[in-house]
Amino acid sequence: MIPWEKIDTAKIPGSDEELRLMRRGKEFSIKLGTNELMNSRLSGSEAALATLAAKQIEKVAKPVVLIGGLGMGFTLRAALAVLGPQAKIVVSELVPSVVAWARGPMAEVFGDSLDDVRVSIREIDVGEVIRAKRSAFDAILLDVDNGPEGLTRKGNDALYDASGLSSAKTALRPGGVLAVWSSGPNPPFTGRLKRAGFDVNEVNVRATGRGGGARHVIWIAKEG
């Protein structure tokens, strides 16, 4: 068995917590304490976040999509694969080192996705992007922290509370979709989405995307 090797660490802005980038052969892992936040071998549910959302806006000729959280790029690469050549994808990543890892030690995982002409990367809290926009996005995809129940940064909770959902609704164009990834179910969050005026569909997906791995949840919330 090849041992894990620590490649780098990164402080999370607004938090005392630290991310660790680990590698074992060609496998990568990003960890927080004892928790594994993501693994390069488990991409199914993060990819589903993009494909499920894209299905909701497939009739939009030139969709503008905001992705909150770069991670290992699973959601971004899936979005690039299903969105047309006229799409524009903005990726907001709070931790600059995560972007550096994508261009450095994990470059093989990311391929040429970061250099796609449809993609722009912003090293900023996605909440700031959302609050600054009105009727700007056809889809907002949030894969931030561990879902509505955060692990890495208390400030992330503001994305998922009533005020944060109201801001997301304002930032969406008519008929737009808010798609949210979570490591598990969260009935109170489902209720908040409905009270914010979204039509909500809660989808259970598996981590591998092939019927195996942990059970994750994706909310597809449509703006009326």
Side-chain angles (χ1 to χ4, degrees):
M1 176 68 74
I2 302 173
W4 284 102
E5 173 190 5
K6 183 168 71 174
I7 302 301
D8 198 10
T9 62
K11 287 288 186 181
I12 301 170
S15 167
D16 294 328
E17 301 286 357
E18 184 178 76
L19 298 178
R20 303 192 313 281
L21 176 63
M22 310 292 291
R23 179 171 60 197
R24 181 173 63 185
K26 292 188 175 182
E27 179 183 3
F28 290 90
S29 173
I30 295 178
K31 295 186 175 182
L32 175 75
T34 59
N35 295 297
E36 182 175 68
L37 299 181
M38 58 200 79
N39 184 292
S40 60
R41 296 176 60 188
L42 302 173
S43 62
S45 61
E46 288 88 349
L49 178 66
T51 55
L52 290 169
K55 184 69 175 176
Q56 301 296 317
I57 58 170
E58 60 185 354
K59 294 182 180 179
V60 179
K62 298 180 180 180
V64 180
V65 176
L66 172 64
I67 297 176
L70 176 61
M72 292 187 175
F74 303 133
T75 302
L76 171 61
R77 294 195 295 281
L80 288 169
V82 296
L83 294 173
Q86 300 299 313
K88 178 181 178 183
I89 303 173
V90 180
V91 181
S92 179
E93 172 55 54
L94 178 68
V95 184
S97 290
V98 171
V99 179
W101 296 343
R103 297 191 182 278
M106 289 198 294
E108 186 174 340
V109 175
F110 278 79
D112 60 0
S113 60
L114 297 184
D115 297 319
D116 192 294
V117 295
R118 294 171 289 175
V119 176
S120 60
I121 306 293
R122 298 193 62 189
E123 295 179 2
I124 187 175
D125 183 349
V126 69
E128 291 186 34
V129 179
I130 291 171
R131 290 188 293 272
K133 299 294 185 179
R134 178 178 294 271
S135 297
F137 303 109
D138 297 290
I140 298 173
L141 283 54
L142 295 180
D143 182 5
V144 176
D145 211 319
N146 217 36
E149 294 292 337
L151 283 174
T152 65
R153 180 172 173 265
K154 188 64 177 175
N156 290 334
D157 292 347
L159 289 169
Y160 305 111
D161 63 18
S163 178
L165 295 179
S166 176
S167 294
K169 199 167 188 291
T170 297
L172 287 170
R173 293 172 175 169
V177 59
L178 172 66
V180 178
W181 181 95
S182 175
S183 62
N186 191 309
F189 180 63
T190 303
R192 289 199 298 275
L193 283 168
K194 293 178 178 178
R195 288 191 295 274
F198 288 102
D199 294 326
V200 183
N201 184 23
E202 189 173 330
V203 183
N204 295 304
V205 293
R206 300 299 287 269
T208 64
R210 299 185 297 273
R215 298 177 184 273
H216 298 156
V217 175
I218 294 172
W219 287 271
I220 300 296
K222 288 279 288 186
E223 202 278 332

